[in-house]
Amino acid sequence: MLRLAFMVLLLANAGYYAWSHGLLQGWGLGPASESEPQRLEQQIEPQNLRLLSPEGQGPAPTAAPARAADAAAPDEPPACLQAGVFDARQAEALRQAAAQLPAGSWSLEPVQAAGRWMVYLGRFPDEEALARKRAELRALKVDYDRPGAALEPGLSLGRYSTEEGAQRALGQLAGQGVRKARVVQERTDTPGYTLRLPAVSGAQRAHIDATLQPALAGKALRPCG
């Protein structure tokens, strides 16, 4: 009995060896091999395989080649700027401020400030009378403005570069019902100065504005005309 069991064990070991080493595959037995040449033959043109995008709508996009950084946009060409007209006192303050800028980058050019005339209402005896006149002008749909400290309390109905222009405006206002207005000379012909910066680049503009702003007396830098 012991001998029979030993022979069965030998036959079982021999069968396992044959099965595990593919000796029985000719009879359709034995484990499938993952590395056999015939499995490679079953693949259909593996070299033509392509990955699909997650949506399955075509080949997955490849990373775009790195592009060179765009060249920095060129600075705008220098522009000529000017401001004015400044009187002698304002021009002196502006000259001191502009001294902080590079030599030759600015100039104060003398000009003749022409006289100016105003159609004027006033002076009024008090603020109550001034308020009544404002209400009257609003009812007539006539624009008005403050006349300046030297002519307060009063109202300006328009400013003109010639006396003739102011007189014509006065006649038109009289036709609209405005009474007691007259023409006064607000400013005589006086010498003045214009600030000129012939070539200001975009990179310089912020520094120039910060340097000159306190001395510009409320006037803005504008393109040269």
Side-chain angles (χ1 to χ4, degrees), residues 37-222:
Q38 58 268 28
R39 291 183 62 84
L40 296 178
E41 294 175 359
Q42 296 174 5
Q43 299 182 18
I44 303 175
E45 298 181 345
Q47 69 278 9
N48 293 329
L49 291 178
R50 295 290 185 271
L51 293 176
L52 296 180
S53 63
E55 296 79 10
Q57 299 298 319
T62 57
R67 294 168 54 185
D70 293 336
D75 194 11
E76 295 181 1
C80 178
L81 299 176
Q82 67 180 23
V85 175
F86 301 94
D87 60 28
R89 179 182 56 81
Q90 294 169 336
E92 181 58 31
L94 192 54
R95 185 178 288 107
Q96 294 178 14
Q100 303 175 54
L101 300 178
S105 65
W106 62 276
S107 63
L108 278 171
E109 301 180 355
V111 295
Q112 188 71 15
R116 188 164 64 186
W117 284 260
M118 177 193 301
V119 178
Y120 173 70
L121 272 170
R123 290 191 171 93
F124 295 100
D126 50 43
E127 289 296 325
E128 183 178 351
L130 179 61
R132 287 198 301 269
K133 182 56 69 174
R134 285 173 176 160
E136 178 184 325
L137 293 174
R138 285 195 295 269
L140 295 173
K141 297 183 179 179
V142 173
D143 294 332
Y144 58 86
D145 193 7
R146 298 187 65 172
L151 296 172
E152 294 281 8
L155 295 169
S156 168
L157 304 186
R159 293 174 168 86
Y160 302 87
S161 59
T162 64
E163 184 177 5
E164 291 77 8
Q167 292 291 352
R168 285 195 297 270
L170 178 62
Q172 294 170 356
L173 289 168
Q176 293 177 251
V178 177
R179 301 291 182 265
K180 297 184 179 180
R182 67 185 191 275
V183 172
V184 298
Q185 188 170 17
E186 181 185 19
R187 183 182 66 201
T188 61
D189 292 349
T190 55
Y193 300 86
T194 297
L195 173 68
R196 186 178 178 87
L197 300 124
V200 178
S201 69
Q204 295 171 324
R205 182 62 191 265
H207 173 65
I208 288 174
D209 284 344
T211 302
L212 299 182
Q213 190 63 43
L216 285 175
K219 298 177 174 63
L221 288 169
R222 304 181 186 278

